[in-house]
Amino acid sequence: MGVWKKMKGIMKWAAVLGALAAACAGETAYFYRRTMMRNNAKVELTMKMAGTDWSQYAPMLAQRKEAMLGKLHRDVFIQSWDGLRLHGTYFPIGEEKKVVICFHGYTSEGMKDYIALSDYYLNRGYSMLLIDARSHGKSEGRYIGFGCLDRKDALKWIDWVIGQCGHTVRIVLHGTSMGGATVLMTSGLELPEQVRGVVSDCAFTSPKEVFTHVLHSMYHLPAFPVIYLADLVNRKLAGYGMDECNAAREVAKAKVPILMIHGDGDTFVPSRMCDKIYANCASPKRKLIVKGAAHAESYYKDTAAYEEALGDFLKEILGEDVLTKESGLEACAE
């Protein structure tokens, strides 16, 4: 009887452990599908998690979108380093000697995140290349790159701009959220001399760290074992670890100047990530923290401060006034 009782106890605990393992596997599979795979990662969920009230900016965005689409533009397609067809929208201005390559956020598209800033860049003589990250928009891909894969794509887009505009072109990389992480991760690579600087807005350090924060702060769930298991799955399916490339580590190898912008009201990607990245950055750097700005809201919350910081940075890295004669605008106040 004693042996049988022990066996029943072992079987009971084995059943409990099996149920827990199944629950963990199910939770991991759900998390992975909803966050890492194309078509399952929904923009509505991202906007809900980010918590930014975009409705208040709708009239301004509608006006700027109309003006933006009135400019000459065309679709561009290139092949990624691993054979995907990537899409971008190119707005050529003047002699195309200054180009900003723009990288959008998670679940967004190139033509969405830079509607407001198109007014700034296009009116100051910058051509703009708005890319769709892999697994977003019109670009191919099944698994989202979270900057880890996209930084390699960024090199391809830089090569395209140089081929289009010539070796005298001056290039700025500007990224928002996941795009911000992308440009910071790109800064740690060997870049051609045409890349003069990087602007990062509300970037995270790594997908592992940002999803750990989201699970803790928004869902009150432990990161282990879900993030650990999702990392194993992602290495197998997408080919990279969720902390394999971390913006805070990559900027320690950076040589190009970097401007970092973040809102101190960002609950999706907390500004402490910006502070960590800034502290580790080895290249010339500037930082703007916008009071009360939620995720990706800094430009809208304090447009004057954003444009002043951006203008000062661009003048510094390009060695000239960023405004063109035909713009008819005055330089930002020092």
Side-chain angles (χ1 to χ4, degrees), residues 18-162:
L20 288 173
C24 285
E27 184 180 352
T28 301
Y30 176 79
F31 169 81
Y32 190 83
R33 287 195 303 270
R34 290 298 297 266
T35 58
M36 308 299 290
M37 297 183 67
R38 186 188 194 116
N39 298 327
N40 294 316
K42 303 295 185 183
V43 65
E44 296 81 11
L45 179 60
T46 304
M47 293 178 69
K48 182 179 179 181
M49 290 190 297
T52 307
D53 178 15
W54 292 110
S55 63
Q56 60 187 310
Y57 307 117
M60 181 267 279
L61 287 169
Q63 184 180 33
R64 293 198 177 182
K65 183 176 182 180
E66 182 179 3
M68 181 184 186
L69 292 177
K71 305 281 189 181
L72 178 67
H73 61 280
R74 69 177 188 271
D75 290 321
V76 176
F77 292 92
I78 65 170
Q79 188 174 65
S80 73
W81 54 276
D82 55 348
L84 299 177
R85 191 171 189 248
L86 303 179
H87 171 260
T89 308
Y90 184 54
F91 290 77
I93 296 294
E95 296 181 351
E96 303 174 66
K97 293 305 180 184
K98 297 183 295 186
V99 179
V100 56
I101 308 177
C102 301
F103 299 81
H104 63 77
Y106 177 57
T107 69
S108 189
E109 297 177 11
M111 286 293 290
K112 290 182 178 179
D113 284 9
Y114 289 88
I115 292 171
L117 273 166
S118 67
D119 182 77
Y120 181 90
Y121 278 122
L122 295 177
N123 287 335
R124 287 162 172 80
Y126 280 86
S127 298
M128 296 183 75
L129 175 61
L130 312 178
I131 67 101
D132 286 343
R134 58 174 53 220
S135 303
H136 291 77
K138 297 178 183 178
S139 289
E140 292 181 343
R142 186 176 183 184
Y143 303 103
I144 296 172
F146 282 102
C148 301
L149 300 181
D150 306 294
R151 65 180 184 150
K152 299 177 184 178
D153 298 333
L155 296 179
K156 292 289 188 178
W157 284 116
I158 291 167
D159 287 343
W160 182 87
V161 169
I162 295 171

Side-chain angles (χ1 to χ4, degrees), residues 1 45 66 84 88 103 121 141 154 187 199 227 241 252 301 307 322 332:
M1 289 293 293
L45 179 60
E66 182 179 3
L84 299 177
F103 299 81
Y121 278 122
S187 75
V199 181
I227 298 296
K301 196 74 172 180
E307 291 191 350
V322 298
C332 299

Side-chain angles (χ1 to χ4, degrees), residues 185-205:
M185 292 174 185
T186 304
S187 75
L189 302 174
E190 287 294 326
L191 298 174
E193 63 181 4
Q194 288 82 5
V195 178
R196 299 298 182 87
V198 167
V199 181
S200 168
D201 187 338
C202 62
F204 54 75
T205 48

Side-chain angles (χ1 to χ4, degrees), residues 75-317:
D75 290 321
V76 176
F77 292 92
I78 65 170
Q79 188 174 65
S80 73
W81 54 276
D82 55 348
L84 299 177
R85 191 171 189 248
L86 303 179
H87 171 260
T89 308
Y90 184 54
F91 290 77
I93 296 294
E95 296 181 351
E96 303 174 66
K97 293 305 180 184
K98 297 183 295 186
V99 179
V100 56
I101 308 177
C102 301
F103 299 81
H104 63 77
Y106 177 57
T107 69
S108 189
E109 297 177 11
M111 286 293 290
K112 290 182 178 179
D113 284 9
Y114 289 88
I115 292 171
L117 273 166
S118 67
D119 182 77
Y120 181 90
Y121 278 122
L122 295 177
N123 287 335
R124 287 162 172 80
Y126 280 86
S127 298
M128 296 183 75
L129 175 61
L130 312 178
I131 67 101
D132 286 343
R134 58 174 53 220
S135 303
H136 291 77
K138 297 178 183 178
S139 289
E140 292 181 343
R142 186 176 183 184
Y143 303 103
I144 296 172
F146 282 102
C148 301
L149 300 181
D150 306 294
R151 65 180 184 150
K152 299 177 184 178
D153 298 333
L155 296 179
K156 292 289 188 178
W157 284 116
I158 291 167
D159 287 343
W160 182 87
V161 169
I162 295 171
Q164 167 70 25
C165 303
H167 288 276
T168 59
V169 68
R170 290 165 292 168
I171 298 171
V172 178
L173 309 181
H174 193 138
T176 301
S177 192
M178 185 182 78
T182 297
V183 296
L184 292 175
M185 292 174 185
T186 304
S187 75
L189 302 174
E190 287 294 326
L191 298 174
E193 63 181 4
Q194 288 82 5
V195 178
R196 299 298 182 87
V198 167
V199 181
S200 168
D201 187 338
C202 62
F204 54 75
T205 48
S206 73
K208 177 183 178 181
E209 291 187 6
V210 74
F211 283 126
T212 295
H213 166 73
V214 168
L215 285 175
H216 286 165
S217 64
M218 299 182 184
Y219 295 99
H220 309 291
L221 294 172
F224 185 85
V226 172
I227 298 296
Y228 173 78
L229 295 174
D231 178 75
L232 295 178
V233 173
N234 204 55
R235 287 177 185 274
K236 179 69 173 178
L237 298 180
Y240 70 96
M242 295 176 69
D243 196 54
E244 180 178 316
C245 188
N246 187 305
R249 293 196 299 266
E250 293 305 308
V251 295
K253 299 178 285 186
K255 297 176 183 178
V256 295
I258 300 176
L259 169 63
M260 301 175 204
I261 302 170
H262 218 109
D264 71 357
D266 192 336
T267 57
F268 189 37
V269 179
S271 60
R272 67 173 181 271
M273 290 193 181
C274 179
D275 296 334
K276 181 179 180 181
I277 296 166
Y278 185 83
N280 286 356
C281 184
S283 62
K285 56 192 177 182
R286 293 184 177 215
K287 180 170 65 171
L288 172 66
I289 302 297
V290 178
K291 298 293 183 183
H295 189 63
E297 193 187 22
S298 292
Y299 180 77
Y300 307 86
K301 196 74 172 180
D302 194 341
T303 304
Y306 196 111
E307 291 191 350
E308 181 178 15
L310 185 56
D312 289 345
F313 179 70
L314 293 173
K315 284 185 283 186
E316 180 179 299
I317 64 174

